[in-house]
Amino acid sequence: MVHLEVHPNPESAAQALAAFLTGRLERADRSTGRSTISLCGGSTPARLYEIAGRSWRDQPWSRRLQIYWGDERFVPPTSAQSNYRLAAETLLAGGWFDPTHVHPVPTQSSPTPDFAAQEYEAVLHTSFPARSSTLDVALMGIGPDGHTASLFPGQPSLREPTRWALPVPNSPLPPLVARVTLTLPFLNRSRTVVVFATGAEKASIVRQALAPVCEGESPLPVTRVQGTEETIWFLDAVAAGAVPR
Ligand code: 6PG
């Protein structure tokens, strides 16, 4: 069951989502002594990360927050295409976090995307030894083709039954670089999945993704990511504009 949260504009959607994430992560920390989140890349979350970074820096639980990435471009962390760099310049600005709790995909130290995926999978298995559940929150974006993380329509990564991280040698959409992506077996063990989309250019794919599927599975990867406890789409009014109410 997908729940929609629609807000008037990108700023109010980002403010509301930052407050929501704070609530879920704080609750997880109270219950387990830590909280865990995977971040998405792209351009949509930049303002969200700025707001959350300013809010979380003064909160005691944030020093125990463990941060991962849902996907990463196979570029240096200093590259303008790096999802890590996006977070470093927004959410993580100011150094409020414990650096040993920030787990970027090792694109700098790995010779290939495949090696980086294997290395990252080892980090995930160390972080989530129970294997039955993984993240408290998986924050996801949606691309114009319905991809999420770097799970693209029709690619074999969507059919991966067991591995938690995979290389993506060829991205069909810009930036046309190799990537590393978390997989459905990992993401679908997350308690809360949030899909965050704003802007008129997302209205069509959001409508397609939220439309009932007549039979079988939707071909859109973003629809395949479901939280064990909840799946919530945070949208602004224009991104939600074509969704039947
Ligand atoms: C990536 C992202 C990807 C992103 C969508 C939306 O590495 O590209 O993780 O899944 O969330 O492509 O990107 P925008 O926010 O730029 O539209």
Side-chain angles (χ1 to χ4, degrees):
M1 177 68 185
V2 170
H3 175 68
L4 292 193
E5 282 272 339
V6 181
H7 295 272
N9 53 59
E11 176 67 18
S12 58
Q15 293 282 354
L17 180 48
F20 173 83
L21 295 176
T22 299
R24 286 297 185 274
L25 295 172
E26 208 169 29
R27 183 178 72 177
D29 186 76
R30 280 198 306 273
S31 142
T32 67
R34 76 170 192 174
S35 57
T36 59
I37 187 171
S38 68
L39 303 178
C40 64
S43 56
T44 302
R47 179 62 182 140
L48 165 68
Y49 292 163
E50 286 171 353
I51 297 164
R54 270 207 296 280
S55 162
W56 296 353
R57 69 184 59 194
D58 307 322
Q59 306 200 21
W61 57 267
S62 66
R63 288 289 296 182
R64 297 183 292 273
L65 173 64
Q66 302 271 351
I67 299 172
Y68 304 84
W69 275 260
D71 71 323
E72 185 55 278
R73 292 81 178 269
F74 194 69
V75 296
T78 52
S79 164
Q81 295 178 335
S82 165
N83 290 338
Y84 167 80
R85 176 174 160 180
L86 167 70
E89 293 178 344
T90 53
L91 179 71
L92 303 177
W96 50 267
F97 51 89
D98 178 336
T100 65
H101 292 173
V102 176
H103 309 283
V105 177
T107 60
Q108 185 91 333
S109 57
S110 303
T112 64
D114 189 60
F115 192 89
Q118 290 177 48
E119 288 287 287
Y120 207 50
E121 192 165 29
V123 168
L124 296 174
H125 281 298
T126 301
S127 298
F128 304 99
R131 301 167 67 95
S132 54
S133 72
T134 58
L135 297 161
D136 296 305
V137 179
L139 178 64
M140 312 302 297
I142 176 174
D145 59 349
H147 81 261
T148 194
S150 286
L151 297 167
F152 292 99
Q155 288 202 350
S157 56
L158 274 176
R159 296 189 301 277
E160 170 56 44
T162 52
R163 287 193 60 183
W164 282 5
L166 285 176
V168 181
N170 47 9
S171 167
L173 289 181
L176 299 175
V177 295
R179 293 140 176 261
V180 172
T181 190
L182 299 191
T183 63
L184 295 176
F186 178 83
L187 290 166
N188 286 344
R189 286 181 171 85
S190 306
R191 289 177 180 78
T192 296
V193 164
V194 174
V195 178
F196 184 34
T198 60
E201 70 281 1
K202 293 292 172 74
S204 170
I205 195 64
V206 165
R207 178 186 53 75
Q208 292 174 58
L210 294 176
V213 180
C214 301
E215 55 186 41
E217 283 179 324
S218 162
L220 302 182
V222 70
T223 64
R224 307 276 295 282
V225 186
Q226 303 282 338
T228 57
E229 294 176 9
E230 57 188 352
T231 304
I232 303 176
W233 284 52
F234 269 78
L235 307 169
D236 72 345
V238 285
V243 176
R245 300 305 177 87

